[in-house]
Amino acid sequence: MRNLLDFLKEYYHWLLFVVLEVVSGFLLLQYNNYQASVWFSSANSMMGKVLEWSSQATKFIHQSQANEQLTMRNLLLEQQVDMLRRRYAELTYDSTVMERNETKFLSQYDLIPAKVIDNSLDSKENLMTIDKGRADGVTVDMGVACGRGVVGVVYLVSEHYSVVIPVLNASSSRISCAIRNRGYFGYLHWYGGDPSVAYVEDVPRHAKFKLGEWVVTSGFSSIFPSGVSVGKIEQVYNSRDGLSYKLKIRLSTDFSSLRDVVVISDKSIAERAALLQAARDSINKISGER
């Protein structure tokens, strides 16, 4: 105890200096908006760099497993495409129709590759940070996916980074889904807890499906194209009001090992938004004349 008192007696002026510096810095940021904005902007930029370096240091651990999964998936997709192309050619006697339609469909979308540099799983309001931003063509409300399925939706964008609301966000994530080859759709919701399980709600009571069938994006929104994998049906429940089904889904995306994603840019969004706005203006004009 005596040694501590001697230490404080000898160096009290330095400790006082540090305390005064901290207090003055706090007061400066608290009551000066410009300095506060500069500080937080610099801090966010520095944190983004730190998270990016951390991600680069850890991605090598998972690189082998990720490459194996991507290789197997690409092989499977190539086999499926080849089988469909040959089957379509047999039915139509035209081997080029499938290729033309596929090229036309894919030309509607730009895929922006990105790395996940921060990802949380232990909260009900999880967020994700990726290393692509406004300078790379990313904008708010773009869909984000990976090689195995849906990831989330872009929420905030800076010049070089973006914050994504993933499927694993209980209050803000709500993605339109459909049962593959069935046409029945609902909305994907995660309640917290297990990061590999979510639920599709509002599926109509007359829907016919089986356990183990795939749920995919419906394409009814301007965020995701149709057919992006969501997961498999594991269990079926009745809704609280008994008017619809709630499906327990085993998610196809493994959020615990997620490193590489793509941001989906739909070139037709602006055209559709302009058309919708024109329709609204026209309706408002007619209503005003009445």
Side-chain angles (χ1 to χ4, degrees):
M1 186 66 181
R2 182 178 179 82
N3 291 336
L4 176 61
L5 293 176
D6 291 338
F7 176 83
L8 294 176
K9 182 178 179 180
E10 184 175 356
Y11 296 102
Y12 78 93
H13 51 285
W14 288 106
L15 297 175
L16 180 61
F17 173 78
V18 171
V19 171
L20 291 176
E21 284 291 317
V22 172
V23 171
S24 62
F26 174 77
L27 294 176
L28 177 67
L29 298 178
Q30 183 72 20
Y31 297 103
N32 295 273
N33 293 332
Y34 175 76
Q35 285 84 351
S37 64
V38 171
W39 164 258
F40 286 118
S41 177
S42 301
N44 286 337
S45 178
M46 180 65 68
M47 182 57 68
K49 284 295 183 183
V50 171
L51 292 173
E52 183 177 3
W53 293 335
S54 175
S55 175
Q56 290 175 351
T58 58
K59 72 177 182 179
F60 291 101
I61 301 175
H62 305 275
Q63 190 172 16
S64 177
Q65 180 182 3
N67 287 340
E68 183 179 349
Q69 292 175 348
L70 288 174
T71 300
M72 294 298 295
R73 182 169 178 81
N74 287 339
L75 178 60
L76 177 61
L77 290 175
E78 288 174 359
Q79 291 174 334
Q80 291 176 341
V81 170
D82 183 67
M83 180 184 66
L84 289 173
R85 184 178 288 111
R86 284 187 281 106
R87 181 59 177 163
Y88 197 93
E90 291 174 0
L91 294 174
T92 63
Y93 303 100
D94 185 352
S95 61
T96 64
V97 173
M98 183 74 172
E99 295 178 1
R100 292 200 303 269
N101 289 340
E102 182 179 327
T103 302
K104 182 178 179 181
F105 175 77
L106 292 176
S107 66
Q108 300 175 16
Y109 304 98
D110 287 331
L111 302 181
I112 305 170
K115 298 284 185 183
V116 177
I117 61 173
D118 186 41
N119 184 23
S120 61
L121 299 175
D122 55 357
S123 168
K124 292 192 70 174
E125 314 300 328
N126 294 303
L127 294 174
M128 179 184 300
T129 305
I130 60 176
D131 67 347
K132 290 294 188 294
R134 193 178 301 111
D136 307 288
V138 179
T139 60
V140 173
D141 288 338
M142 283 185 174
V144 181
C146 66
R148 303 184 67 174
V150 166
V151 172
V153 179
V154 176
Y155 176 60
L156 290 175
V157 178
S158 68
E159 196 65 18
H160 300 291
Y161 301 95
S162 298
V163 175
V164 176
I165 294 179
V167 169
L168 305 184
N169 188 301
S171 65
S172 302
S173 179
R174 191 172 171 84
I175 298 172
S176 178
C177 302
I179 303 173
R180 180 179 286 171
N181 299 326
R182 297 285 188 176
Y184 306 111
F185 69 95
Y187 293 93
L188 185 68
H189 189 77
W190 182 70
Y191 293 104
D194 191 346
S196 65
V197 171
Y199 296 85
V200 175
E201 301 174 332
D202 300 329
V203 178
R205 293 283 299 182
H206 61 272
K208 296 181 180 180
F209 52 86
K210 299 178 182 178
L211 297 182
E213 288 193 292
W214 279 95
V215 172
V216 297
T217 54
S218 66
F220 289 165
S221 71
S222 59
I223 297 177
F224 289 101
S226 61
V228 180
S229 296
V230 174
K232 283 186 177 182
I233 303 173
E234 277 199 346
Q235 202 164 349
V236 181
Y237 306 93
N238 287 321
S239 63
R240 292 182 179 180
D241 56 13
L243 300 178
S244 60
Y245 289 127
K246 181 170 74 173
L247 311 181
K248 180 181 178 181
I249 304 298
R250 180 66 57 178
L251 296 172
S252 58
T253 298
D254 183 1
F255 286 89
S256 63
S257 62
L258 191 60
R259 293 293 180 273
D260 296 281
V261 297
V262 292
V263 182
I264 304 172
S265 174
D266 186 351
K267 298 176 182 178
S268 66
I269 288 179
E271 181 181 352
R272 280 182 283 174
L275 182 61
L276 182 60
Q277 186 60 47
R280 289 172 178 167
D281 294 341
S282 178
I283 292 174
N284 292 335
K285 182 177 180 180
I286 294 174
S287 300
E289 292 175 351
R290 291 179 179 176

